């Protein structure tokens, strides 16, 4: 028998090889954040740069173009055709950038991210700025080349890497609409909560007990520890590979909620990766759909589920077991602690009501940076102005809790931030769809039966991977494309009803 | 100006790239042993296999042969010429093996080593055997090809990978001479020690305290924690890269000496790597000379220094600080505990007097395996026979403390074991040379001044890297090539004087 679809099969082999080599890259990046002593950084940056160049050469091998066109004419089934679509997208993106730029980006982001890890606690903006300027220079060049190839705008071309099909016009419209009702909602929730009595949790909360609690809650959320770990890093993230997911968190002795809810968030990312379909694993079609969809999983876990009143009932005994019983840990009070709305400085620790304000701020600043309307040195002033407008916070001189708080810009990930709030909107949309299908969902959560939630996500999102475009995926899962009305309804229902 | 030595410079670039890519391979291998959850193993094995194939293609690029001959005719200084010699050696070794065999070896050893980690505690020889048979089949094919290319014997060709220039005839002669006096020495030491009173240490020894003690002793030994770490694995090893050394140990709650002395051993390896010369780092000439020389560093630390009566004085307060004061921790008694001679089952926990017997046993078995005179299924019987003869131990049915105790065979490292005892001999030779240069050395060690030892090793071994052959290195450092008489004199002086 002759080989059917020789072009497609050749592409499949190449993408399989890329998957196996990026495994080593992913693990080295995780290790860099979770384990690596500082003296190892230059060698690590050099090794990752070498690998980035090598992968780039594989992704831009001239042979691929002929194979991609050849495969278009072959007899492919629907999954193969979707895989070919994703391969072509990958190919267009990689071929827009010359190897020298890819290596320069790897060097610049490794250096900036590594230095940031000690500059951030030292509030050292002056030390951070030159590294960030280089990262921004590379990102602008990247945007220019991506835009040239795709016909998209500069910032749109950057966003397209994380959320294919999303434009800054759409993002601006969605966030613009959000701006019309969010400040009012924050005020209304603030007034309502000011009248409530909440018992604060009394620390300290020893780190080993926090760690054990986080792992216990990951088990409650069905994280598969035979194919993943929890470790510690400066900035929590979900890394590794689908077969071996590496989550990180960070601990504060005076408050257990950041590590706990950060872990619940990363567990959402982790379960998506652990449940991607295995039959085409390593192929582009078997990767997570997009970053907004990825964040819709982390926020489905952290916000929809983690801050659900029923979930507080499940957490309550585990928290008491970790730190000893306290009045603060009673389910109703714990739920209040988990749903406090309070304008604050740190995005990753923000409640779900004020969170979108953090994203709007970053979206506006990074769009201006990429489009050349602002420079890296302008960031602190722009930051402070928006924090004042949106959340009434003064951030002057406080860089570490201001523009140095996130890993995204040091690593050159401009265009990523909108995905968080788009993800929050999708997460609300998924839960609205679940409730239409399963009217008793909230009672089941409160009874500790989380499998209807996980089964729905597995069937509709995780196992679908990149088989469909984001719009098609949303339509199949929930009967409609992105509809921010569900997010507004969710916040109103949870915080004002 | 035109480029001087274009062939040499091209080779240098290639070996630099190899160094940067093997960084990722080293870290992934360390992670596999120290962190990886079991479910990640297939993906890791696939990734390491892909990388092994890729590196093999780079190492066997036909261009290298022309560059190596071209460089021979270029104007090179002594260091460059030594680098070229090491490149040629590397090239000959790599070109002896086809890519398919390299990939098969990577798959077979990853599978065997991973399964061994759970089969060993389960004493599951039957489960282990088929994996080991495949590893042995690959190793025999490797030996055949290496021998064909080099004109060496089958086992010699395997040893040559770890200890260039060493032959099984030499090893057989050295170990044969050892056999003539070692059993008598073991008996004499046993009789002498039977008359001594030793206070046993009283456990349990909590693991966090053991870990802290190990790290404290690593600091005493000048390990650079800004460029390395200590972690836990089933089988202790020194991994990572010279810029970021990853040591591992293992803990037993009822005895702190195995983790402590294992850590001292690995610290010797680690300091060698951390102190390799930086000016040509990544080039073959800047790598550690050989595995016998590497083991001469770990055993210089563990046996020459770690079991020195003066070193017990330095350890004593640290051990008391870790576990609380006990009569057992008094310096003289601690030194007795550190120098107990007792035939036992486990090589890595053997004292320095009985240790060579473990190596002789493995040397005889693995030489027979590689030369086709024995099969993997014969190992338990051969093992038991030699353990009886050499150390009077019965190992029937106890595979986990018998042939399954070491990681070497599961990972295909046949030909490595002789390096341990050759290393012990070199270590004794280095300390004899130090004492000739510095007659007050032993008093300095007892006074806590270890820098004469470290300075000597740094100057004579670490900074010399692969600049000289092993024989030249030994001659320059100590005035003579390998001379086992120093090892015998050391044991007699320490245990019978």
């Amino acid at each position: 028998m002759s080989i059917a679809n020789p072009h497609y099969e050749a592409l499949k082999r190449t993408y399989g090889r890329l998957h196996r080599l990026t495994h080593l890259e992913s693990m080295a990046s995780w290790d860099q954040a979770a384990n690596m002593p500082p003296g190892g950084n230059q060698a690590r940056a050099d090794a990752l740069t070498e690998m980035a160049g090598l992968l780039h050469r594989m992704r831009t091998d001239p042979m691929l173009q002929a194979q991609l066109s050849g495969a278009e004419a072959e007899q492919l089934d629907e999954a193969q055709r979707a895989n070919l679509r994703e391969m072509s997208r990958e190919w267009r993106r990689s071929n827009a950038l010359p190897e020298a730029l890819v290596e320069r980006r790897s060097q610049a982001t490794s250096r900036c991210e590594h230095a940031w890890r000690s500059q951030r606690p030292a509030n050292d903006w002056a030390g951070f700025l030159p590294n960030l300027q280089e990262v921004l220079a590379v990102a602008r060049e990247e945007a220019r080349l991506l835009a040239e190839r795709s016909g998209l705008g500069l910032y749109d071309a950057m966003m397209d890497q994380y959320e294919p099909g999303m434009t800054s016009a759409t993002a601006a419209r969605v966030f613009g609409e959000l701006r019309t009702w969010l400040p009012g909602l924050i005020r209304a929730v603030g007034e309502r909560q000011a009248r409530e009595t909440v018992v604060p949790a009394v620390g300290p909360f020893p780190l080993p007990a926090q760690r054990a609690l986080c792992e216990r809650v990951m088990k409650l959320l069905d994280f598969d520890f035979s194919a993943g770990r929890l470790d510690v890093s400066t900035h929590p993230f979900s890394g590794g590979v689908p077969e071996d997911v590496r989550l990180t968190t960070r601990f504060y002795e005076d408050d257990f909620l950041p590590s706990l809810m950060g872990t619940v968030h990363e567990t959402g990312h982790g379960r998506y990766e652990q449940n991607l379909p295995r039959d085409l694993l390593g192929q582009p079609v078997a990767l997570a759909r997009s970053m907004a969809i990825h964040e819709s999983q982390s926020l489905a876990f952290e916000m929809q589920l983690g801050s659900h009143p029923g979930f507080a009932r499940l957490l309550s005994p585990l928290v008491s077991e970790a730190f000893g019983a306290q009045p603060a840990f009673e389910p109703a009070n714990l739920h209040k602690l988990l749903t406090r709305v309070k304008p604050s400085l740190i995005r990753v620790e923000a409640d779900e009501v004020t969170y979108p304000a953090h994203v709007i701020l970053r979206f506006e600043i990074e769009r201006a940076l990429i489009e050349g309307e602002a420079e890296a040195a302008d960031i602190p002033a722009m930051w402070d102005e928006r924090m004042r407008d949106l959340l009434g916070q003064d951030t002057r001189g406080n860089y570490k809790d201001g523009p140095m708080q996130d890993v995204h810009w040091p690593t050159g990930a401009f265009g990523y931030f909108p995905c968080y709030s788009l993800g929050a909107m999708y997460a609300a949309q998924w839960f609205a769809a679940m409730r239409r299908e399963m009217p008793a969902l909230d009672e089941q959560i409160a009874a500790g039966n989380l499998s209807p939630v996980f089964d729905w996500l597995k069937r509709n999102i995780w196992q679908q991977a990149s088989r469909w475009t984001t719009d098609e995926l949303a339509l199949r899962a929930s009967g409609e494309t992105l509809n921010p009305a569900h997010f507004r309804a969710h916040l109103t229902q949870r915080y004002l009803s």
Side-chain angles (χ1 to χ4, degrees), chain A residues 150-169:
Chain A
S150 60
L152 297 171
L154 291 169
Y155 184 71
D156 300 52
M158 294 298 276
M159 266 203 310
D160 191 67
Q161 300 178 87
Y162 307 109
E163 190 51 37
M166 181 53 55
T167 63
S168 53

Side-chain angles (χ1 to χ4, degrees), chain A residues 81-394:
Chain A
R81 197 148 294 284
N83 198 21
L84 184 62
R85 180 196 65 220
E86 294 303 311
M87 287 169 174
S88 302
R89 194 169 85 78
E90 203 331 276
W91 184 87
R92 281 195 304 277
R93 192 169 72 178
S94 297
N95 280 272
L97 304 182
E99 184 180 340
L101 185 65
V102 172
E103 295 193 353
R104 185 179 157 208
R105 181 178 60 190
S106 175
Q107 280 285 4
T109 56
S110 278
R111 186 178 309 113
C112 189
E113 191 268 342
H114 180 70
W116 164 80
R117 279 191 269 150
S118 48
Q119 287 162 342
R120 189 194 167 204
N123 199 37
D124 179 12
W125 173 259
F128 177 64
L129 182 58
N131 287 338
L132 183 64
Q133 282 167 329
E134 169 63 6
V135 172
L136 177 61
V138 173
R140 282 174 173 171
E141 179 60 11
E142 192 182 345
R144 191 184 66 72
L145 289 165
L146 290 170
E148 211 169 85
R149 279 274 183 144
S150 60
L152 297 171
L154 291 169
Y155 184 71
D156 300 52
M158 294 298 276
M159 266 203 310
D160 191 67
Q161 300 178 87
Y162 307 109
E163 190 51 37
M166 181 53 55
T167 63
S168 53
T170 302
R173 184 172 49 73
V174 168
F175 293 140
E177 201 263 342
L178 203 63
R179 257 190 190 265
T180 63
W181 54 263
L182 188 67
L185 181 73
I186 294 172
R187 269 194 308 276
V189 176
E191 284 161 19
R192 181 190 169 118
Q193 293 194 344
R195 294 189 299 269
E196 294 177 355
T197 308
V198 188
V199 183
V202 180
F205 306 98
L207 304 198
Q210 286 194 50
R211 192 190 178 95
L213 174 63
C214 287
E215 292 184 343
R216 181 66 192 79
V217 172
M218 286 168 76
K219 282 183 193 131
L220 176 72
L221 296 170
D222 276 1
F223 182 82
D224 179 2
F225 276 98
S226 80
R229 294 172 53 98
L230 176 69
D231 291 271
V232 175
S233 72
T234 306
H235 190 99
F237 69 100
S238 165
V241 292
E243 305 94 326
D244 182 0
V245 169
R246 304 290 173 101
L247 307 185
T248 70
T249 189
R250 59 183 168 199
F251 297 109
Y252 304 105
E253 207 166 43
D254 62 349
D255 192 355
F256 69 98
L257 287 174
S259 71
L260 177 60
M261 297 317 284
T263 299
V264 171
H265 178 99
E266 301 305 339
T267 302
H269 286 306
R271 288 215 63 201
Y272 188 6
E273 291 288 319
Q274 288 185 330
N275 288 281
L276 288 167
R278 284 300 187 265
D279 48 344
L280 280 170
L281 192 70
Q283 295 297 313
V285 72
L287 296 176
R289 170 61 275 181
S290 68
M291 295 323 298
I293 299 302
H294 231 309
E295 295 301 340
S296 83
Q297 299 312 294
S298 53
L299 295 168
F301 273 58
E302 181 188 0
M303 298 306 184
Q304 295 294 326
L305 188 58
S307 299
H308 188 284
F311 194 73
R313 286 205 222 166
L314 310 180
L315 276 183
S316 171
L318 305 180
V319 174
S320 296
E321 192 187 322
F323 308 118
Q326 293 188 16
F329 301 157
E330 293 300 316
N333 191 74
L334 187 59
H335 180 244
K336 282 184 189 164
L337 288 173
L338 287 167
T339 49
R340 283 304 86 180
V341 173
K342 190 171 182 302
S344 70
L345 298 174
I346 304 291
R347 177 185 59 83
V348 292
E349 288 157 16
D351 58 82
E352 60 181 328
V353 180
T354 57
Y355 193 105
H358 292 271
V359 170
I360 292 169
L361 171 154
R362 285 157 178 77
F363 166 67
E364 291 177 1
I365 295 176
E366 68 176 20
R367 190 169 58 161
L369 290 171
I370 292 298
E371 298 193 339
E373 291 157 10
E375 296 302 323
D378 303 330
I379 296 174
M382 295 174 79
W383 190 283
D384 187 63
E385 187 193 333
R386 279 162 185 77
M387 280 304 277
R388 244 176 249 275
D389 288 354
L390 287 159
L391 291 171
Q393 303 285 307
D394 181 350

Side-chain angles (χ1 to χ4, degrees), chain A residues 18 21-22 24-25 29 44-60 94 97-107 109-110:
Chain A
L18 283 164
L21 292 174
T22 51
L24 301 177
E25 191 182 42
S29 298
R44 183 64 51 90
D46 291 345
L48 288 172
T49 299
E50 188 69 52
M51 182 57 117
L54 190 146
L55 293 170
H56 186 70
R57 282 191 296 281
M58 285 176 67
R59 288 179 179 131
T60 55
S94 297
L97 304 182
E99 184 180 340
L101 185 65
V102 172
E103 295 193 353
R104 185 179 157 208
R105 181 178 60 190
S106 175
Q107 280 285 4
T109 56
S110 278

